[in-house]
Amino acid sequence: QQPVQSPQAVILREGEDAVINCSSSKALYSVHWYRQKHGEAPVFLMILLKGGEQKGHDKISASFNEKKQQSSLYLTASQLSYSGTYFCGTEGGRTTTSGTYKYIFGTGTRLKVLA
Amino acid sequence: DTEVTQTPKHLVMGMTNKKSLKCEQHMGHRAMYWYKQKAKKPPELMFVYSYEKLSINESVPSRFSPECPNSSLLNLHLHALQPEDSALYLCASSQEFHELAGGYNEQFFGPGTRLTVL
């Protein structure tokens, strides 16, 4: 049930663009995107709440295709500060104990931006 | 104050020790979380507290015991851990948590406690 991200890893030069995909085998109600730099805590980037929604912040944007059960993160004109591991996050189904929806991160995409 | 703090930063303990991890936030958030993260893996949800009540216990072994004394504090009590429990333990908080689909808000993470079990 863990969302699968692609690519697993990508290396860019400063100024290049990248797309990170997050695909789920089950329905997605919402998708969150986080970035985690090495040795640091994950930092929230954005949340997409419904199909067709697109959001952007600075040169980072995302889209959510509810029908295809996937989301994509777009990094435009990448900067050195974009380096890190990107995770999508969503509900991963109901827990076995309480029946509430548990939160699950995707497999992760390691992104490195070179000068 | 938009910070989640965790103490200690590093912890080394033997398999017979009892120790506790502490997490604190002063953002007025009513939901708090514990995650476990192994190297080069995504964080895995362990526990969710909503309004100081345990909402999710994701089949975590009883050697991990969470506690939420008030809305700002979250503890994780450790006892009789195994070497495979060595990991980064992350605490997070969010404004609220709802048990329905789409109920997760933006989570603010602390820097984590790096735990080593010998």
Side-chain angles (χ1 to χ4, degrees), chain A residues 1 24 26-30 32 89-105, chain B residues 31-33 35 45-50 54-59 94 96-105 107:
Chain A
Q1 288 187 337
S24 174
K26 60 177 290 291
L28 292 172
Y29 297 105
S30 65
H32 308 170
T90 186
E91 288 93 3
R94 295 181 185 269
T95 67
T96 53
T97 48
S98 64
T100 52
Y101 284 91
K102 61 184 177 183
Y103 193 80
I104 189 163
F105 282 98
Chain B
M32 296 186 79
Y33 311 76
Y35 287 88
L45 183 66
M46 299 173 72
F47 303 105
V48 178
Y49 272 86
S50 176
L54 185 64
S55 288
I56 290 181
N57 174 346
E58 192 44 22
S59 304
S94 67
E96 284 192 326
F97 163 74
H98 302 288
E99 297 182 355
L100 302 174
Y104 287 89
N105 301 139
Q107 294 177 54

Side-chain angles (χ1 to χ4, degrees), chain B residues 76-113:
Chain B
L76 186 63
H77 303 296
L78 315 172
H79 177 230
L81 294 193
Q82 305 295 310
E84 60 264 28
D85 296 323
S86 298
L88 180 69
Y89 287 84
L90 292 162
C91 171
S93 71
S94 67
Q95 275 198 323
E96 284 192 326
F97 163 74
H98 302 288
E99 297 182 355
L100 302 174
Y104 287 89
N105 301 139
E106 169 185 358
Q107 294 177 54
F108 292 78
F109 283 83
T113 293

Side-chain angles (χ1 to χ4, degrees), chain A:
Chain A
Q1 288 187 337
Q2 182 176 40
V4 176
Q5 291 182 230
S6 61
Q8 284 187 336
V10 58
I11 298 176
L12 302 171
R13 292 277 177 196
E14 258 188 306
E16 291 182 337
D17 302 340
V19 180
I20 298 172
N21 298 304
C22 171
S23 294
S24 174
S25 59
K26 60 177 290 291
L28 292 172
Y29 297 105
S30 65
V31 179
H32 308 170
W33 285 97
Y34 287 84
R35 174 172 62 212
Q36 185 176 28
K37 291 180 181 283
H38 182 69
E40 298 181 12
V43 173
F44 176 82
L45 295 175
M46 63 188 79
I47 179 172
L48 299 115
L49 291 173
K50 54 187 178 183
E53 185 171 14
Q54 296 191 23
K55 276 195 175 176
H57 175 68
D58 200 7
K59 294 191 174 106
I60 299 176
S61 61
S63 64
F64 179 18
N65 188 324
E66 198 172 22
K67 276 188 180 176
K68 291 186 179 179
Q69 297 172 181
Q70 68 182 37
S71 176
S72 296
L73 186 71
Y74 307 93
L75 301 151
T76 306
S78 57
Q79 305 165 16
L80 293 174
S81 61
Y82 287 2
S83 293
T85 301
Y86 289 78
F87 293 106
C88 61
T90 186
E91 288 93 3
R94 295 181 185 269
T95 67
T96 53
T97 48
S98 64
T100 52
Y101 284 91
K102 61 184 177 183
Y103 193 80
I104 189 163
F105 282 98
T107 50
T109 295
R110 291 191 308 280
L111 185 138
K112 187 169 179 64
V113 181
L114 303 175

Side-chain angles (χ1 to χ4, degrees), chain B residues 9-115:
Chain B
K9 281 194 163 73
H10 301 274
L11 179 62
V12 179
M13 58 187 290
M15 289 191 283
T16 58
N17 292 156
K18 281 186 182 180
K19 297 284 184 184
S20 297
L21 309 184
K22 182 179 168 183
C23 173
E24 198 164 359
Q25 57 88 14
H26 294 288
M27 294 178 277
H29 289 172
R30 304 314 300 263
M32 296 186 79
Y33 311 76
W34 280 115
Y35 287 88
K36 173 183 177 180
Q37 187 176 27
K38 292 281 216 179
K40 296 189 177 181
K41 296 290 185 184
E44 293 176 27
L45 183 66
M46 299 173 72
F47 303 105
V48 178
Y49 272 86
S50 176
Y51 288 85
E52 298 146 56
K53 288 177 67 174
L54 185 64
S55 288
I56 290 181
N57 174 346
E58 192 44 22
S59 304
V60 180
S62 59
R63 56 185 184 269
F64 295 91
S65 175
E67 180 197 17
C68 190
N70 59 57
S71 59
S72 301
L73 275 176
L74 186 66
N75 299 319
L76 186 63
H77 303 296
L78 315 172
H79 177 230
L81 294 193
Q82 305 295 310
E84 60 264 28
D85 296 323
S86 298
L88 180 69
Y89 287 84
L90 292 162
C91 171
S93 71
S94 67
Q95 275 198 323
E96 284 192 326
F97 163 74
H98 302 288
E99 297 182 355
L100 302 174
Y104 287 89
N105 301 139
E106 169 185 358
Q107 294 177 54
F108 292 78
F109 283 83
T113 293
R114 176 105 22 219
L115 174 68

